[in-house]
Amino acid sequence: MKKNNDKYLGIELGSTRIKAVLIDDSFAPVAAGAHNWENQLKDGFWTYDLADVWIGIQAAYRELTDNYQAKFGEKLNKLNGIGISAMMHGYLPFDENDNQLVPFRTWRNTTTEQAAGILTEKLNFNIPQRWNVAHYYQAYLNKEEHVGEIAFLTTLAGYVHWKLTGEKVLGIGDASGLFPIDSNKNDYDADMLKKFDSLTNGDFGTIIPRVLTAGEAAGTLTAEGALLLDPSRTLDAGIPFCPPEGDAGTGMAATNSIKELTGNVSAGTSIFAMIVLEHQLSKPYLEIDMVTTPAGKPVAMVHCNSCTSDLDAWVKIFAQVLEASGASLSKPKLYDLLYEQALKGLSDAGGLLSYNYFAGEPITGLLEGRPLFARMPDSPFTLPNFMRSLLYGTMATLSIGMEILQSEGIKINSMLGHGGLFKTPLVGQKMMAAAMNAPISVVETASEGGAWGIALLAAYSAQYSQTQSLEDFLDKYVFADMPVTTVPTCAEDVKGYAVYLERYKKGLAIEQAAVESMKDTKGRDIMLA
């Protein structure tokens, strides 16, 4: 990298990892850093302490700058743009003195069924349980004392951006998970805001962030923000920011899935697929979230709370077996070994069933989750079938939601995958191709994920937004020569997966029975107690 090359920083706060990626003006990653973290269950809510937000961001940024200095022999003190991304949805309310009123309630919570149901009916628009407005309205219905004190309500990305720049704004993609968006005006839907205010006798629009689309100026790094990001005082203030985005929007940018009838599937701790639509769906569906691209186009999103957590737990068991035997195998090699076994399994996984539910899944009507594995006594219980069933289980609930889009006649021109499920070459793609009945592509930078995606949005905002659309920028400058690996569908796998999915649907009664019966002596959820 030349010393005078432009540099753009992207930071994304995911559910298990905070990642920082630095790109140059060729849009290739040149340095990266990461920090692992975990949510905690406190007072009945899945949460992260905001102090841990900054511990993690600083650790990831410090590792990135150390890598940069080791690679280029100079300290990183100047940047041409910064972008912040984070897991979408949740609840972060603050009072007029900027004090946090209650702990962060994340997307993983399924405690807002009442509010989501009322809002979906009153607004004639699907309001998922994890959306910010559902959390707010549920707190209102519960008559929580803090509701009357709220002066500012934002998302995790909006919070970090605010602290670094002083600006209370959101990218339109992240904002679309806070409150419904009018894509014709690229702002919150005014009619729905009026209807919502009539339910609360409030003025919701005055406490939520201002909406910005990709390319719009979103503030600059303040001196206080620079110190918060880089306590070593090396980084200069004054760096421009792009609008903060959610992981859905950055996933679209990272996979070039922002044109109509393109789509992407993100598979990590949670799993979701997003299809950019030519027009709105014919009616609201409880299983489909309507969000937007970073440029404001309507997107149908199928979101599931659980994906790889249960699979990861089984891999840890295998690692413990190896450790107990005195054998040694690195974590990446163990994952590759086990994933590749799935390719040898029967196309329907031999009748084995895996339910990966660590949390409730609204798509299948489960308010709580119980990870479980089930089989018939005569099922061929082999390692290949077991691993295939685990992988199929990560995407089964997603498939159920995607069936609705198929019923609407939505045709997908391309589908790209990203996230941990696709790290082992080809295996996750082959399984997903069977589940989607469509070819699945993975770009070379897929493992960089949303942190790379928000860095691209930072570059677009700083250098390209005045002369071209986001779609053209990604097509012409970023992905034109990007290596892509595509796995086509296999008729046998598609047929086998369909058999698995039908068996999975019938077996949901087993999962429901587990939820109802697996309680501790105080009646609490065993997995969460």
Side-chain angles (χ1 to χ4, degrees):
M1 186 176 106
K2 298 177 183 178
K3 288 188 177 182
N4 63 346
N5 272 14
D6 293 342
K7 296 179 284 291
Y8 307 96
L9 173 67
I11 297 176
E12 181 161 270
L13 295 92
S15 54
T16 59
R17 189 164 68 147
I18 298 172
K19 187 168 185 179
V21 169
L22 185 72
I23 65 173
D24 61 13
D25 55 13
S26 71
F27 313 112
V30 295
H35 174 80
N36 294 329
W37 69 336
E38 288 287 349
N39 53 186
Q40 303 292 327
L41 189 79
K42 294 182 179 179
D43 299 324
F45 292 99
W46 288 104
T47 188
Y48 299 86
D49 193 299
L50 293 191
D52 292 334
V53 168
W54 298 109
I55 290 171
I57 287 176
Q58 290 171 4
Y61 181 74
R62 182 170 59 249
E63 182 177 320
L64 179 148
T65 56
D66 289 346
N67 291 340
Y68 177 86
Q69 186 168 1
K71 189 173 182 179
F72 299 108
E74 63 180 14
K75 290 186 176 181
L76 184 64
N77 63 344
K78 294 184 182 298
L79 296 168
N80 298 85
I82 301 177
I84 302 297
S85 172
M87 53 189 128
M88 289 177 69
H89 320 301
Y91 188 65
L92 271 170
F94 298 87
D95 67 15
E96 61 182 7
N97 296 314
D98 297 341
N99 297 310
Q100 185 182 6
L101 292 170
V102 295
F104 176 34
R105 299 173 183 176
T106 77
W107 59 270
R108 197 171 193 176
N109 291 288
T110 51
T111 55
T112 63
E113 182 183 20
Q114 178 190 15
I118 294 172
L119 292 177
T120 296
E121 178 184 357
K122 298 294 186 182
L123 302 182
N124 193 32
F125 188 97
N126 180 36
I127 304 294
Q129 287 197 47
R130 65 186 180 280
W131 279 25
N132 300 63
V133 67
H135 282 281
Y136 174 87
Y137 189 50
Q138 190 65 59
Y140 173 85
L141 293 174
N142 293 344
K143 299 181 179 180
E144 297 186 38
E145 292 184 4
H146 76 273
V147 173
E149 301 177 48
I150 298 176
F152 181 47
L153 176 66
T154 191
T155 67
L156 182 56
Y159 161 75
V160 174
H161 182 95
W162 168 41
K163 290 300 180 181
L164 294 178
T165 67
E167 297 290 337
K168 296 179 177 180
V169 299
L170 275 187
I172 193 168
D174 204 16
S176 69
L178 189 156
F179 194 86
I181 292 291
D182 180 347
S183 288
N184 294 318
K185 297 181 179 179
N186 286 338
D187 203 351
Y188 301 115
D189 189 291
D191 290 337
M192 293 190 195
L193 274 175
K194 290 179 181 178
K195 291 178 182 178
F196 181 65
D197 287 343
S198 70
L199 296 175
T200 61
N201 295 315
D203 191 355
F204 193 62
T206 64
I207 66 170
I208 53 180
R210 182 165 54 93
V211 177
L212 299 175
T213 55
E216 292 191 82
T220 59
L221 184 66
T222 64
E224 295 80 6
L227 184 61
L228 196 54
L229 177 59
D230 179 22
S232 73
R233 300 177 183 270
T234 303
L235 186 64
D236 294 340
I239 302 165
F241 275 66
C242 68
E245 270 296 352
D247 51 0
T250 56
M252 291 181 225
T255 55
N256 195 21
S257 304
I258 61 170
K259 296 185 293 296
E260 293 174 353
L261 301 185
T262 62
N264 76 92
V265 56
S266 173
T269 303
S270 63
I271 185 169
F272 53 87
M274 294 171 291
I275 311 300
V276 185
L277 303 179
E278 294 177 298
H279 49 75
Q280 297 286 349
L281 299 178
S282 64
K283 63 179 182 178
Y285 292 95
L286 295 179
E287 300 87 348
I288 306 294
D289 303 358
M290 290 304 301
V291 293
T292 78
T293 70
K297 290 184 178 179
V299 174
M301 179 180 185
V302 181
H303 183 280
C304 309
N305 288 334
S306 298
C307 183
T308 60
S309 294
D310 190 46
L311 189 153
D312 293 340
W314 281 108
V315 174
K316 288 178 182 177
I317 290 293
F318 286 112
Q320 291 172 21
V321 171
L322 288 174
E323 184 180 355
S325 71
S328 177
L329 195 64
S330 69
K331 183 177 177 181
K333 288 184 177 180
L334 178 58
Y335 269 91
D336 289 348
L337 173 67
L338 293 172
Y339 271 48
E340 288 163 2
Q341 286 293 310
L343 297 178
K344 304 175 184 178
L346 297 174
S347 63
D348 70 340
L352 310 184
L353 280 176
S354 171
Y355 293 92
N356 64 337
Y357 288 11
F358 264 59
E361 288 291 359
I363 286 177
T364 49
L366 274 295
L367 297 181
E368 299 175 8
R370 301 291 186 275
L372 63 86
F373 180 83
R375 62 188 174 99
M376 294 295 289
D378 60 348
S379 298
F381 190 38
T382 66
L383 180 60
N385 285 341
F386 178 70
M387 289 308 303
R388 185 172 281 240
S389 72
L390 291 184
L391 285 167
Y392 277 175
T394 65
M395 53 195 73
T397 307
L398 180 70
S399 296
I400 295 171
M402 291 294 290
E403 289 176 345
I404 295 171
L405 294 183
Q406 295 169 5
S407 71
E408 282 268 349
I410 303 299
K411 303 294 184 182
I412 305 170
N413 291 335
S414 64
M415 178 71 79
L416 286 95
H418 59 109
L421 192 73
F422 301 104
K423 283 187 177 180
T424 298
L426 304 180
V427 180
Q429 285 176 263
K430 184 175 175 63
M431 301 296 130
M432 191 65 72
M436 296 284 127
N437 193 16
I440 303 295
S441 300
V442 171
V443 296
E444 190 176 67
T445 53
S447 62
E448 301 296 346
W452 182 64
I454 192 65
L456 293 179
L457 292 175
Y460 173 70
S461 182
Q463 297 289 344
Y464 295 88
S465 60
Q466 299 301 313
T467 59
Q468 58 202 292
S469 68
L470 178 60
E471 292 92 333
D472 287 344
F473 163 69
L474 293 174
D475 273 345
K476 294 178 181 178
Y477 294 94
V478 181
F479 288 94
D481 300 313
M482 183 75 69
V484 177
T485 301
T486 301
V487 172
T489 57
C490 166
E492 182 181 351
D493 286 343
V494 171
K495 182 178 179 180
Y497 180 82
V499 172
Y500 177 93
L501 186 62
E502 189 60 31
R503 187 183 297 120
Y504 184 94
K505 292 176 182 177
K506 293 178 180 178
L508 284 168
I510 309 169
E511 177 71 18
Q512 181 62 55
V515 170
E516 293 170 357
S517 61
M518 293 180 68
K519 306 280 185 178
D520 68 9
T521 56
K522 297 181 180 179
R524 296 177 299 177
D525 180 337
I526 285 178
M527 296 302 297
L528 306 185

Coordinates of all heavy atoms in Angstrom, one line a residue, residues 311-361:
L311 N -24.7 -25.5 16.8 CA -23.6 -26.2 16.0 C -22.3 -26.0 16.6 O -21.5 -26.9 16.8 CB -23.7 -25.7 14.6 CG -22.8 -26.4 13.5 CD1 -23.4 -26.3 12.1 CD2 -21.4 -25.9 13.5
D312 N -22.0 -24.7 17.0 CA -20.7 -24.4 17.7 C -20.6 -25.2 19.0 O -19.5 -25.6 19.4 CB -20.6 -22.9 18.0 CG -20.5 -22.1 16.7 OD1 -20.2 -22.6 15.7 OD2 -20.9 -20.9 16.8
A313 N -21.7 -25.4 19.7 CA -21.6 -26.1 21.0 C -21.2 -27.6 20.7 O -20.5 -28.1 21.5 CB -23.0 -26.0 21.7
W314 N -21.8 -28.2 19.7 CA -21.4 -29.5 19.3 C -19.9 -29.6 18.9 O -19.2 -30.6 19.3 CB -22.3 -30.1 18.2 CG -23.7 -30.5 18.7 CD1 -24.9 -29.9 18.5 CD2 -24.0 -31.7 19.5 NE1 -25.9 -30.5 19.1 CE2 -25.4 -31.7 19.7 CE3 -23.2 -32.7 20.0 CZ2 -26.0 -32.7 20.4 CZ3 -23.8 -33.7 20.7 CH2 -25.2 -33.7 20.9
V315 N -19.4 -28.6 18.2 CA -18.0 -28.7 17.8 C -17.1 -28.6 19.0 O -16.1 -29.3 19.1 CB -17.7 -27.5 16.8 CG1 -16.2 -27.4 16.5 CG2 -18.5 -27.7 15.5
K316 N -17.6 -27.8 20.0 CA -16.8 -27.8 21.3 C -16.7 -29.1 22.0 O -15.7 -29.5 22.6 CB -17.4 -26.7 22.2 CG -17.2 -25.3 21.7 CD -17.8 -24.3 22.7 CE -17.6 -22.9 22.2 NZ -18.3 -21.9 23.1
I317 N -17.8 -29.9 21.9 CA -17.8 -31.2 22.5 C -16.8 -32.1 21.8 O -16.0 -32.8 22.4 CB -19.2 -31.9 22.3 CG1 -20.2 -31.2 23.3 CG2 -19.2 -33.4 22.6 CD1 -19.9 -31.4 24.7
F318 N -16.8 -32.0 20.4 CA -15.8 -32.8 19.7 C -14.3 -32.4 20.1 O -13.4 -33.2 20.2 CB -16.0 -32.7 18.2 CG -17.2 -33.5 17.7 CD1 -18.3 -32.8 17.2 CD2 -17.1 -34.8 17.7 CE1 -19.4 -33.5 16.7 CE2 -18.2 -35.6 17.2 CZ -19.3 -34.9 16.7
A319 N -14.2 -31.1 20.3 CA -12.8 -30.6 20.7 C -12.4 -31.1 22.0 O -11.3 -31.5 22.3 CB -12.9 -29.0 20.7
Q320 N -13.4 -31.3 22.9 CA -13.1 -31.8 24.3 C -12.8 -33.3 24.2 O -11.9 -33.8 24.9 CB -14.3 -31.6 25.2 CG -14.6 -30.1 25.5 CD -15.9 -29.9 26.3 OE1 -16.4 -30.9 26.9 NE2 -16.4 -28.7 26.2
V321 N -13.4 -34.0 23.2 CA -13.1 -35.4 23.0 C -11.6 -35.5 22.6 O -10.8 -36.4 23.1 CB -14.0 -36.1 22.0 CG1 -13.5 -37.5 21.6 CG2 -15.4 -36.1 22.5
L322 N -11.2 -34.7 21.6 CA -9.8 -34.7 21.1 C -8.9 -34.4 22.3 O -7.8 -35.0 22.4 CB -9.7 -33.6 20.0 CG -10.3 -34.0 18.7 CD1 -10.2 -32.8 17.7 CD2 -9.7 -35.2 18.1
E323 N -9.2 -33.4 23.1 CA -8.4 -33.0 24.2 C -8.2 -34.1 25.2 O -7.1 -34.4 25.7 CB -8.9 -31.7 24.9 CG -8.1 -31.2 26.0 CD -8.7 -30.0 26.7 OE1 -9.7 -29.5 26.2 OE2 -8.1 -29.5 27.7
A324 N -9.3 -34.8 25.5 CA -9.3 -35.9 26.4 C -8.5 -37.1 25.9 O -7.8 -37.8 26.7 CB -10.7 -36.4 26.7
S325 N -8.4 -37.2 24.6 CA -7.6 -38.3 24.0 C -6.1 -38.0 23.8 O -5.3 -38.8 23.4 CB -8.2 -38.7 22.7 OG -7.9 -37.7 21.7
G326 N -5.8 -36.7 24.1 CA -4.4 -36.3 23.9 C -4.1 -35.8 22.5 O -3.0 -35.4 22.2
A327 N -5.1 -35.8 21.7 CA -4.9 -35.3 20.3 C -5.0 -33.8 20.2 O -5.5 -33.1 21.1 CB -5.9 -36.0 19.4
S328 N -4.5 -33.2 19.1 CA -4.5 -31.8 19.0 C -5.0 -31.5 17.5 O -4.4 -32.0 16.6 CB -3.1 -31.2 19.2 OG -3.1 -29.8 19.0
L329 N -5.9 -30.5 17.4 CA -6.4 -30.1 16.1 C -6.8 -28.6 16.3 O -7.6 -28.4 17.2 CB -7.5 -31.0 15.6 CG -7.9 -30.9 14.1 CD1 -6.7 -31.3 13.2 CD2 -9.1 -31.7 13.8
S330 N -6.4 -27.7 15.4 CA -6.8 -26.3 15.6 C -8.2 -26.2 15.3 O -8.9 -27.0 14.7 CB -6.0 -25.5 14.6 OG -6.4 -25.8 13.2
K331 N -8.8 -25.1 15.9 CA -10.2 -24.9 15.7 C -10.7 -24.8 14.3 O -11.7 -25.4 13.9 CB -10.6 -23.6 16.5 CG -12.1 -23.2 16.5 CD -12.4 -22.0 17.3 CE -13.8 -21.6 17.3 NZ -14.1 -20.4 18.1
P332 N -10.0 -24.0 13.4 CA -10.4 -24.0 12.0 C -10.3 -25.4 11.3 O -11.2 -25.7 10.5 CB -9.4 -23.0 11.4 CG -8.9 -22.2 12.5 CD -8.9 -23.1 13.7
K333 N -9.3 -26.1 11.6 CA -9.2 -27.5 11.0 C -10.3 -28.4 11.5 O -10.8 -29.2 10.8 CB -7.8 -28.0 11.3 CG -6.7 -27.4 10.5 CD -5.4 -28.1 10.7 CE -4.3 -27.4 9.8 NZ -3.0 -28.0 10.0
L334 N -10.7 -28.3 12.8 CA -11.7 -29.1 13.3 C -13.1 -28.8 12.6 O -13.8 -29.7 12.3 CB -11.8 -28.9 14.8 CG -13.0 -29.7 15.5 CD1 -12.8 -31.2 15.3 CD2 -13.0 -29.4 17.0
Y335 N -13.3 -27.5 12.5 CA -14.6 -27.1 11.8 C -14.6 -27.6 10.4 O -15.6 -28.1 9.9 CB -14.7 -25.5 11.8 CG -15.5 -25.0 12.9 CD1 -14.8 -24.6 14.1 CD2 -16.8 -24.9 12.9 CE1 -15.5 -24.1 15.2 CE2 -17.6 -24.3 14.0 CZ -16.9 -24.0 15.1 OH -17.6 -23.5 16.2
D336 N -13.4 -27.4 9.7 CA -13.4 -27.9 8.3 C -13.6 -29.4 8.2 O -14.4 -29.9 7.4 CB -12.0 -27.6 7.7 CG -11.8 -26.1 7.4 OD1 -12.8 -25.4 7.4 OD2 -10.7 -25.7 7.1
L337 N -13.0 -30.2 9.1 CA -13.2 -31.6 9.2 C -14.6 -32.0 9.4 O -15.1 -32.9 8.6 CB -12.3 -32.2 10.3 CG -12.5 -33.7 10.6 CD1 -11.9 -34.5 9.4 CD2 -11.7 -34.1 11.9
L338 N -15.3 -31.4 10.3 CA -16.6 -31.8 10.6 C -17.6 -31.3 9.5 O -18.5 -32.0 9.2 CB -17.1 -31.2 12.0 CG -16.3 -31.8 13.2 CD1 -16.6 -31.0 14.5 CD2 -16.7 -33.3 13.4
Y339 N -17.4 -30.1 9.0 CA -18.3 -29.6 7.9 C -18.1 -30.6 6.7 O -19.2 -30.9 6.1 CB -17.9 -28.2 7.5 CG -18.5 -27.1 8.3 CD1 -18.6 -27.1 9.7 CD2 -19.1 -26.0 7.6 CE1 -19.2 -26.1 10.4 CE2 -19.7 -25.0 8.3 CZ -19.8 -25.0 9.7 OH -20.4 -24.0 10.3
E340 N -16.9 -30.9 6.4 CA -16.7 -31.8 5.2 C -17.3 -33.2 5.4 O -17.7 -33.8 4.4 CB -15.2 -31.9 4.9 CG -14.7 -30.6 4.3 CD -13.2 -30.4 4.4 OE1 -12.5 -31.4 4.8 OE2 -12.7 -29.4 4.0
Q341 N -17.5 -33.6 6.6 CA -18.2 -34.9 6.9 C -19.7 -34.8 6.4 O -20.2 -35.8 5.9 CB -18.2 -35.2 8.3 CG -16.8 -35.7 8.8 CD -16.5 -37.1 8.2 OE1 -17.3 -38.0 8.3 NE2 -15.3 -37.2 7.7
A342 N -20.2 -33.6 6.5 CA -21.6 -33.4 6.1 C -21.9 -33.7 4.6 O -22.9 -34.2 4.2 CB -22.1 -32.0 6.4
L343 N -20.8 -33.5 3.8 CA -20.9 -33.8 2.4 C -21.1 -35.3 2.1 O -21.6 -35.6 1.0 CB -19.7 -33.3 1.7 CG -19.5 -31.7 1.7 CD1 -18.2 -31.4 1.0 CD2 -20.6 -31.0 1.1
K344 N -20.7 -36.1 3.1 CA -20.8 -37.5 2.9 C -22.2 -38.1 3.4 O -22.4 -39.3 3.3 CB -19.7 -38.2 3.6 CG -18.3 -37.8 3.2 CD -17.2 -38.4 4.0 CE -15.8 -37.9 3.7 NZ -14.8 -38.5 4.5
G345 N -23.0 -37.2 4.0 CA -24.2 -37.7 4.6 C -25.3 -37.9 3.6 O -25.2 -37.4 2.5
L346 N -26.4 -38.6 4.0 CA -27.5 -38.8 3.1 C -28.2 -37.4 2.8 O -28.1 -36.5 3.7 CB -28.5 -39.7 3.7 CG -28.0 -41.2 3.9 CD1 -29.0 -42.0 4.7 CD2 -27.7 -41.8 2.6
S347 N -28.8 -37.3 1.7 CA -29.3 -35.9 1.3 C -30.4 -35.4 2.2 O -30.6 -34.2 2.3 CB -29.8 -36.0 -0.1 OG -30.9 -36.9 -0.2
D348 N -31.1 -36.3 3.0 CA -32.1 -35.9 3.9 C -31.6 -36.0 5.4 O -32.4 -36.0 6.3 CB -33.4 -36.7 3.8 CG -33.2 -38.2 4.2 OD1 -32.1 -38.7 4.3 OD2 -34.3 -38.8 4.5
A349 N -30.3 -36.2 5.5 CA -29.6 -36.4 6.8 C -30.1 -37.6 7.5 O -29.9 -37.7 8.8 CB -29.9 -35.1 7.7
G350 N -30.6 -38.6 6.8 CA -30.9 -39.9 7.4 C -32.0 -39.9 8.4 O -32.1 -40.8 9.2
G351 N -32.9 -38.9 8.3 CA -34.0 -38.8 9.3 C -33.6 -38.2 10.6 O -34.5 -38.1 11.5
L352 N -32.4 -37.7 10.8 CA -32.0 -37.0 12.0 C -32.5 -35.6 12.0 O -32.7 -34.9 11.0 CB -30.5 -37.0 12.1 CG -29.7 -38.3 11.9 CD1 -28.3 -38.1 12.2 CD2 -30.3 -39.4 12.8
L353 N -32.9 -35.0 13.2 CA -33.4 -33.7 13.3 C -32.6 -32.9 14.3 O -32.4 -33.4 15.4 CB -34.9 -33.7 13.7 CG -35.9 -34.0 12.6 CD1 -37.3 -34.2 13.3 CD2 -35.9 -33.0 11.6
S354 N -32.3 -31.7 14.0 CA -31.6 -30.7 14.9 C -32.4 -29.4 15.0 O -32.7 -28.8 14.0 CB -30.2 -30.4 14.4 OG -29.6 -29.4 15.1
Y355 N -32.8 -29.1 16.2 CA -33.4 -27.8 16.5 C -32.4 -27.0 17.3 O -32.0 -27.3 18.4 CB -34.7 -28.0 17.3 CG -35.8 -28.7 16.5 CD1 -35.9 -30.1 16.5 CD2 -36.6 -28.0 15.6 CE1 -36.8 -30.8 15.7 CE2 -37.6 -28.7 14.9 CZ -37.7 -30.0 14.9 OH -38.6 -30.7 14.1
N356 N -32.0 -25.9 16.6 CA -30.9 -25.0 17.2 C -31.4 -23.9 18.0 O -30.7 -22.9 18.2 CB -30.1 -24.5 16.0 CG -30.9 -23.6 15.1 OD1 -32.1 -23.6 15.0 ND2 -30.2 -22.7 14.4
Y357 N -32.6 -24.0 18.5 CA -33.3 -22.8 19.2 C -32.7 -22.5 20.5 O -33.0 -23.0 21.5 CB -34.8 -23.1 19.3 CG -35.6 -23.1 18.0 CD1 -34.9 -23.0 16.8 CD2 -36.9 -23.1 18.0 CE1 -35.6 -23.0 15.6 CE2 -37.7 -23.1 16.8 CZ -37.0 -23.1 15.6 OH -37.7 -23.0 14.5
F358 N -31.8 -21.5 20.5 CA -31.3 -20.9 21.8 C -32.3 -19.9 22.3 O -32.2 -19.5 23.5 CB -29.9 -20.3 21.6 CG -28.8 -21.2 21.9 CD1 -28.6 -22.4 21.3 CD2 -27.9 -20.9 22.9 CE1 -27.6 -23.3 21.6 CE2 -26.8 -21.7 23.2 CZ -26.7 -22.9 22.5
A359 N -33.1 -19.3 21.4 CA -34.1 -18.3 21.8 C -35.4 -18.6 21.1 O -35.4 -19.5 20.2 CB -33.6 -16.9 21.5
G360 N -36.4 -17.9 21.4 CA -37.7 -18.0 20.7 C -37.5 -17.7 19.2 O -36.6 -17.0 18.8
E361 N -38.4 -18.2 18.4 CA -38.4 -18.0 17.0 C -39.9 -17.6 16.5 O -40.7 -18.5 16.4 CB -38.0 -19.2 16.2 CG -36.5 -19.5 16.3 CD -35.6 -18.5 15.6 OE1 -36.2 -17.5 15.0 OE2 -34.4 -18.6 15.6

